[in-house]
Amino acid sequence: MTEPDPILRKKCEPLEGVNDHLRNLMNDMLETMYEAPGIGLAAIQIGVLKRVVVIDVSKKEGEKSPLFLVNPEIVYKSNETSTYEEGCLSLPGQFAEIERPAECKVEYLDFNGKKKQLDAKGLLSTCIQHEIDHLNGVLFIDYLSKLKKSMIIKKLKKQKQSVERIVV
Ligand code: ZN
């Protein structure tokens, strides 16, 4: 799903637990994310309106360390902020510097349905916040000025049209 698509603005439903069906979905999501390539993917980005996120911010090639977050919830955000240039698989080719809390603590169910807590900082903290935003229908362009946001949406609409032209 790419912006503008109304699905991306929906709020995702929590899951009751983790079963094999969900584990299959998470594995599919991880594959899609690695292929893209991206460092995070929320289920809503592939049209599944559930509160599931996969993340892998490991930088070294061949060293994968996937993180599966089911029903993730941020329970702490630092006052201190950090700024990263963010991109998004749902906003192809678009990047912008976004300021967010530098550290956060997230509660979630892991791949096996175990309740976990994670203290995140740096890129991981930003990535977790970006992905949890997706679950609430929020995109990083929502943090930009109205003008910048509408310029990006205009560009994406044009991109979509030209892609359709080629396909047809
Ligand atoms: Zn995104």
Side-chain angles (χ1 to χ4, degrees):
M1 308 285 144
T2 56
E3 174 80 350
D5 187 315
I7 286 185
L8 289 170
R9 298 309 191 166
K10 297 247 192 300
K11 204 172 151 86
C12 298
E13 296 285 326
L15 287 134
E16 278 178 20
V18 180
N19 56 23
D20 284 343
H21 181 70
L22 180 57
R23 274 187 279 271
N24 283 336
L25 172 70
M26 290 193 281
N27 283 326
D28 284 349
M29 285 170 61
L30 195 69
E31 224 172 275
T32 305
M33 184 190 81
Y34 286 140
E35 269 171 30
I39 58 169
L41 185 76
I44 188 172
Q45 295 180 274
I46 55 166
V48 180
L49 296 173
K50 298 285 177 197
R51 301 188 82 79
V52 192
V53 164
V54 297
I55 289 173
D56 190 340
V57 294
S58 60
K59 281 189 190 133
K60 283 181 203 156
E61 219 169 293
E63 266 181 49
K64 289 182 177 165
S65 59
L67 196 59
F68 302 92
L69 309 177
V70 177
N71 299 340
E73 223 174 295
I74 291 176
V75 294
Y76 164 78
K77 283 179 183 177
S78 65
N79 291 325
E80 191 195 328
T81 61
S82 59
T83 303
Y84 280 93
E85 186 174 58
E86 296 188 22
C88 180
L89 298 176
S90 296
L91 299 156
Q94 304 305 315
F95 299 89
E97 289 198 340
I98 306 293
E99 187 182 7
R100 296 181 187 270
E103 293 178 27
C104 69
K105 187 194 278 275
V106 62
E107 271 181 12
Y108 61 98
L109 301 178
D110 71 4
F111 194 77
N112 296 309
K114 258 196 174 168
K115 206 171 176 180
K116 290 258 173 87
Q117 246 188 21
L118 175 71
D119 291 304
K121 56 183 174 183
L123 181 61
L124 179 60
S125 171
T126 284
C127 187
I128 286 172
Q129 292 173 59
H130 175 121
E131 297 309 329
I132 291 178
D133 272 353
H134 274 302
L135 305 183
N136 298 318
V138 175
L139 299 171
F140 78 74
I141 52 171
D142 299 347
Y143 297 101
L144 302 175
S145 69
K146 265 191 184 164
L147 181 67
K148 268 192 193 163
K149 182 177 165 178
S150 66
M151 272 168 52
I152 287 179
I153 292 176
K154 224 187 244 174
K155 265 192 222 161
L156 289 167
K157 270 188 191 160
K158 259 192 200 158
Q159 271 179 30
K160 265 192 186 176
Q161 280 164 357
S162 60
V163 169
E164 272 159 26
R165 241 176 267 146
I166 293 161
V167 172
V168 173

